[in-house]
Amino acid sequence: MTTGAKSVSRLIPRRLVLLALLAVAPALGRPAAAQERAITLASTTSTEQSGLFGHLLPIFQRETGIGVRVVAVGTGQALAIGAKGDADALLVHDRPGEDTFVAEGHGLDRRDVMANDFVIVGPAADPAGLKGGRDATEALARIARAKAPFASRGDDSGTNRTELRLWKKAGIEARGLGASYRELGQGMGPTLNAAAAMDAYTLTDRATWASFKNRQTLVILVQGDPALFNPYGSILVNPAKNPQIHAADAKIWHEWLTSERGRAAIASFKINGEQLFFPAGTMPSQ
């Protein structure tokens, strides 16, 4: 070895050499079976923050040997990730967006998986007078008339998209409400924290609400409106989007979710004895 080569070799940390060797190990003959089987699932913050995935994914992995890496973002972001081919499957909750995703060729075989509902929560003092109501559109109109603070996720999530449709149905431009309307650009948990701190109203899925501890004065004020029904769909990302998509294992996950085993696992997730997600077709209000 020349003096120059020796000096260069001394500049390469041993740690980097070891990492390089690990990176090429598969090509040197490590059996393919030793590789971890896993898929990437783009899903919502509500399925993550409610604790559903902490319950569901270990069951799936025990039964199939396939791990699931979750990217928990708003539904709009999850659909965008899928459109780029950067996930193997989606579990999201915005039916119009899901249908568009499939129609544009980004996804395959959209299936109804489960449902729960949204509720409107707010301070117990209830300055807009919503308590006991069942009409979500009327509730938002009252909030607007009272100029009461409203915390919006503002993140293009399924929850945010539902909220904006409800404002539109009420004939109100939410962003025209001024300082009382706070767009946070956050997931459901942080939005509930902000609402609690501001004594504001907000729209939340019931599952995240059930797992939320920092309620302060927040209580459920409006529930039971059919417009608050919250279905979730599973979609396979079109493998033509990316040659690295794990299509076969994603299909196993997709089919497991709607199998009897998957449905039973979904139904068995409870917080304080309350079932929070209902397999498709089983929600009591349907």
Side-chain angles (χ1 to χ4, degrees), residues 126-175:
D126 191 20
L130 309 187
K131 187 175 181 179
R134 292 177 59 87
D135 187 328
T137 304
E138 173 60 21
L140 294 185
R142 290 189 180 196
I143 292 169
R145 288 195 295 269
K147 297 182 179 179
F150 186 94
S152 170
R153 284 182 57 167
D155 64 348
D156 195 33
S157 60
T159 304
N160 185 218
R161 291 181 178 194
T162 297
E163 175 220 317
L164 293 176
R165 284 194 288 267
L166 290 171
W167 285 114
K168 184 176 181 180
K169 185 179 176 183
I172 297 168
E173 173 52 53
R175 294 185 176 95

Side-chain angles (χ1 to χ4, degrees), residues 35-275:
Q35 301 298 307
E36 177 190 6
R37 291 177 66 189
I39 64 169
T40 298
L41 176 69
S43 190
T44 70
T45 62
S46 58
T47 46
E48 177 76 9
Q49 293 173 359
S50 65
L52 176 67
F53 281 148
H55 168 78
L56 205 62
L57 301 188
I59 298 173
F60 173 72
Q61 186 163 19
R62 282 198 302 270
E63 293 189 6
T64 66
I66 301 169
V68 180
R69 304 186 185 105
V70 177
V71 180
V73 291
T75 284
Q77 289 177 271
L79 292 167
I81 289 169
K84 293 177 182 177
D86 291 335
D88 304 308
L90 309 180
L91 183 59
V92 289
H93 63 144
D94 177 53
R95 185 58 189 267
E98 295 164 37
D99 289 342
T100 299
F101 183 83
V102 173
E104 291 179 347
H106 303 307
L108 306 172
D109 192 26
R110 187 238 171 242
R111 297 187 184 185
D112 291 326
V113 173
M114 61 189 183
N116 62 8
D117 64 340
F118 294 110
V119 294
I120 296 176
V121 302
D126 191 20
L130 309 187
K131 187 175 181 179
R134 292 177 59 87
D135 187 328
T137 304
E138 173 60 21
L140 294 185
R142 290 189 180 196
I143 292 169
R145 288 195 295 269
K147 297 182 179 179
F150 186 94
S152 170
R153 284 182 57 167
D155 64 348
D156 195 33
S157 60
T159 304
N160 185 218
R161 291 181 178 194
T162 297
E163 175 220 317
L164 293 176
R165 284 194 288 267
L166 290 171
W167 285 114
K168 184 176 181 180
K169 185 179 176 183
I172 297 168
E173 173 52 53
R175 294 185 176 95
L177 293 174
S180 64
Y181 185 72
R182 316 286 180 85
E183 288 187 281
L184 303 175
Q186 298 286 335
M188 197 68 255
T191 299
L192 283 167
N193 275 319
M198 296 187 296
D199 279 339
Y201 295 95
T202 194
L203 180 75
T204 177
D205 66 285
R206 190 182 295 272
T208 305
W209 170 255
S211 64
F212 181 64
K213 305 302 182 187
N214 182 35
R215 296 181 181 183
Q216 299 187 45
T217 70
L218 295 183
V219 294
I220 294 177
L221 296 169
V222 178
Q223 58 187 324
D225 187 337
L228 297 175
F229 178 62
N230 182 30
Y232 289 76
S234 176
I235 309 173
L236 291 170
V237 175
N238 188 341
K241 305 296 293 185
N242 187 335
Q244 300 302 315
I245 286 174
H246 300 88
D249 285 347
K251 186 175 181 181
I252 292 171
W253 158 256
H254 183 65
E255 293 182 343
W256 182 86
L257 278 176
T258 53
S259 71
E260 288 306 312
R261 297 191 309 280
R263 288 167 63 86
I266 291 167
S268 67
F269 174 63
K270 298 179 181 180
I271 295 178
N272 297 324
E274 179 184 7
Q275 182 177 339

